[in-house]
Amino acid sequence: MSFTIIQGGMGVGVSSTTLANAVSRKGELGVVSGTALALTFARRLMKGAKDYVSALETFFDRHVVEKMKAKYLNKLNPDGSYKMVEMPTLKPSQDFVELMVVSTYCEVYLAKLGHLGQVGINFLEKIQMPTLYSVYGAILAGVDVILMGAGIPVRMPHVIDKLSNHEKVSLPIKVYNDTNHVELTFDPSTLNLSHIPLKRPKFFAIISSHTLANYLYKSDFGAPDAFVVEKHTAGGHNAPPRGDYLINEKGEPIYGERDEINLEAIKKVGLPFYLAGGYGNPTRYQEALAFGAEGVQVGTIFALSDESGFEPTLKKQMLKQIVEGEVDVLTDAKASPTGFPFKVANILNTMSEKDIYEQRTRICDLGYLREPYQKENGSVGYRCPSEPVEDYIKKGGKLEDTVGRKCLCNGLVSAIGLPQQRGDQKELPLITSGDEINLVRPLIKDFSYSAADVLNYIKGEATI
Ligand SMILES: Cc1cc2nc3c(=O)[nH]c(=O)nc-3n(C[C@H](O)[C@H](O)[C@H](O)COP(=O)(O)O)c2cc1C
């Protein structure tokens, strides 16, 4: 692998096609986020985004392109709000399958446009229902690396092998209350694209322990091609602490000695590895290389660069807060409906503010973090601890599981400038960041810096 810096996949849409494209053309690995792309793509089309329309025009099936344009292009509701888009389930409609495939294809296509560099896409293992369709869409666009964290991505090497040959695949999906898993099957031949030549991308597993590294390495489903070893200071979701799940007075999980990653043991596995979580500076980069890592994966410092997907005014506000003082980042044990700790940056007028969070009327209309559960009659329903409390309880959920939960779907989509407007209420942003957000300060000039500045800085090629 020729790159030593991976620009980490940051959802939803923070690692934008523009950011990944800028990094890849400099010879490093630019990565787009694979999370909720069906939704963001549909909303971008509703707003008439020209780059996405031109990417869509290159898709292999004319009938699908026309259908998608007819359904979404410039199709906002008369009051300017976005139309509803189907939510992920175990039985998606054929239209939604096509949307998941095509949206991921377009994201990778735009990141690869105009250069010969390598591009990756990042998925969360916890978000299972769109995975098979999205991976196929990314492979159709010639993605070079698929990365997956936030869970145990043991099936992925096999899934990628199969989809790279247009072959039928399945993935066991956890259904709460059901002792069995439900197999979600996807047969790409239903899309009639089997004549398209494909190449198998590499698979990088994002892990936080050597036990998981060994387990994945020895799996019958095939080993990953490399590991990204991520410390709990990294932005987005973090691995929960091991052993007793203790929480401090700020609501943060308490990490202890058992959570220190045994890097020597990971090195012994023998696969290439990258280090992540606070490695976005020249000292840590050199340390990682000296230790024997292939390189580093970096998120936060790219998240605030000019090319990232954060809505520009919001990004400026974040940079201003960093320049004028310190931004606190809370590792919130409760915020994410997934139950994983999730980092929330304290930014003015966002969901990190208690009043703003409490004023929001709960609604679940995007549904990427819903879990399938077995109803009393044996059929499958869907629920999310961030949905209206009474709905969650009616579905057999526990009241205590709803406390402090935030709607990551609406908050993260709002942060990239695609907020839903309901009457006079607009969904407000939720910002995630790594603990070391304030370390980007030396790079900021006139509330701005580029992805190229970040690469030069990390490699020690810039004087700040
Ligand atoms: C805004 C933001 C969003 C992120 N979202 C995701 C994500 O959706 N999936 C994921 O695996 N990692 C996510 N991450 C983690 C990054 O990919 C990367 O591993 C991490 O940021 C590295 O640590 P650093 O932030 O200290 O550089 C996110 C990080 C940030 C800052």
Side-chain angles (χ1 to χ4, degrees), residues 268-281:
K268 268 203 197 117
V269 176
L271 289 182
F273 61 95
Y274 295 79
L275 299 180
Y279 283 87
N281 65 69

Side-chain angles (χ1 to χ4, degrees), residues 235-293:
H237 283 97
N238 299 142
R242 287 154 157 254
D244 295 337
Y245 198 146
L246 300 175
I247 295 200
N248 71 14
E249 67 293 347
K250 284 158 72 186
E252 298 180 302
I254 301 174
Y255 291 94
E257 254 173 45
R258 288 183 65 189
D259 300 299
E260 292 295 318
I261 304 175
N262 185 342
L263 293 176
E264 288 293 345
I266 288 179
K267 197 171 167 178
K268 268 203 197 117
V269 176
L271 289 182
F273 61 95
Y274 295 79
L275 299 180
Y279 283 87
N281 65 69
T283 315
R284 303 302 296 283
Y285 171 67
Q286 288 304 333
E287 275 172 25
L289 294 178
F291 180 72

Side-chain angles (χ1 to χ4, degrees), residues 302-313:
F302 281 116
L304 292 161
S305 69
D306 300 339
E307 292 90 343
S308 88
F310 276 131
E311 194 280 317
T313 326

Side-chain angles (χ1 to χ4, degrees), residues 145-182:
V145 183
I146 290 176
L147 303 97
M148 186 181 271
I152 301 177
V154 66
R155 296 271 185 141
M156 288 313 284
H158 178 71
V159 161
I160 295 170
D161 285 345
K162 290 273 186 192
L163 289 175
S164 303
N165 277 318
H166 300 283
E167 285 174 35
K168 190 170 167 178
V169 273
S170 63
L171 197 64
I173 311 282
K174 292 167 211 113
V175 176
Y176 186 83
N177 260 353
D178 189 345
T179 40
N180 301 311
H181 285 91
V182 170

Side-chain angles (χ1 to χ4, degrees), residues 180-193:
N180 301 311
H181 285 91
V182 170
E183 286 287 318
L184 183 63
T185 301
F186 170 46
D187 183 356
S189 72
T190 55
L191 297 178
N192 296 320
L193 299 171

